[in-house]
Amino acid sequence: MALSQHDLLRLLESLRSADGLELVRSVAERMLQELIEAEATARIGAEWNEHTAGRTAYRSGHRGKTLTTQAGDLDLAIPKLRSGTFLYAFRRSGPDR
């Protein structure tokens, strides 16, 4: 079902408000965190606490990273590995910030 022009304008206005902006920020933060965890799992070859023959590394906690966006600061937890380096996809493609 398509939204009417009036409904789209109301939605846009609510997203511009402080509450809407916080919603966008929290959704973006959650989405990026899930993508980072999925990428780490693929790099390692196993889920958290999963024992597999194909495992290439082990997790060693997380480090904090703040990503500044137009929606606000996103507080992310970047997985650390016991050996090797984990660089998530959107970090590898951009300049060092």
Side-chain angles (χ1 to χ4, degrees):
M1 174 173 85
L3 294 174
S4 69
Q5 181 74 18
H6 175 70
D7 290 336
L8 287 172
L9 289 173
R10 281 185 33 213
L11 178 60
L12 181 62
E13 192 57 40
S14 69
L15 289 175
R16 286 183 179 158
S17 72
D19 292 325
L21 193 58
E22 176 58 27
L23 174 65
V24 170
R25 190 202 65 75
S26 65
V27 168
E29 184 176 83
R30 177 65 187 258
M31 179 185 68
L32 287 175
Q33 188 64 53
E34 292 295 325
L35 288 171
I36 289 169
E37 292 297 335
E39 190 175 356
T41 296
R43 159 81 164 73
I44 293 168
E47 294 281 340
W48 185 266
N49 276 339
E50 179 183 21
H51 301 284
T52 65
R55 171 177 274 219
T56 60
Y58 290 89
R59 294 174 188 252
S60 182
H62 290 81
R63 65 178 174 81
K65 172 72 176 170
T66 300
L67 180 67
T68 302
T69 69
Q70 290 182 346
D73 288 345
L74 307 181
D75 296 319
L76 302 172
I78 308 303
K80 293 191 302 185
L81 305 182
R82 286 189 192 167
S83 61
T85 303
F86 173 69
L87 296 176
Y88 44 97
F90 65 90
R91 171 62 179 89
R92 285 193 306 263
S93 63
D96 195 15
R97 295 180 189 133

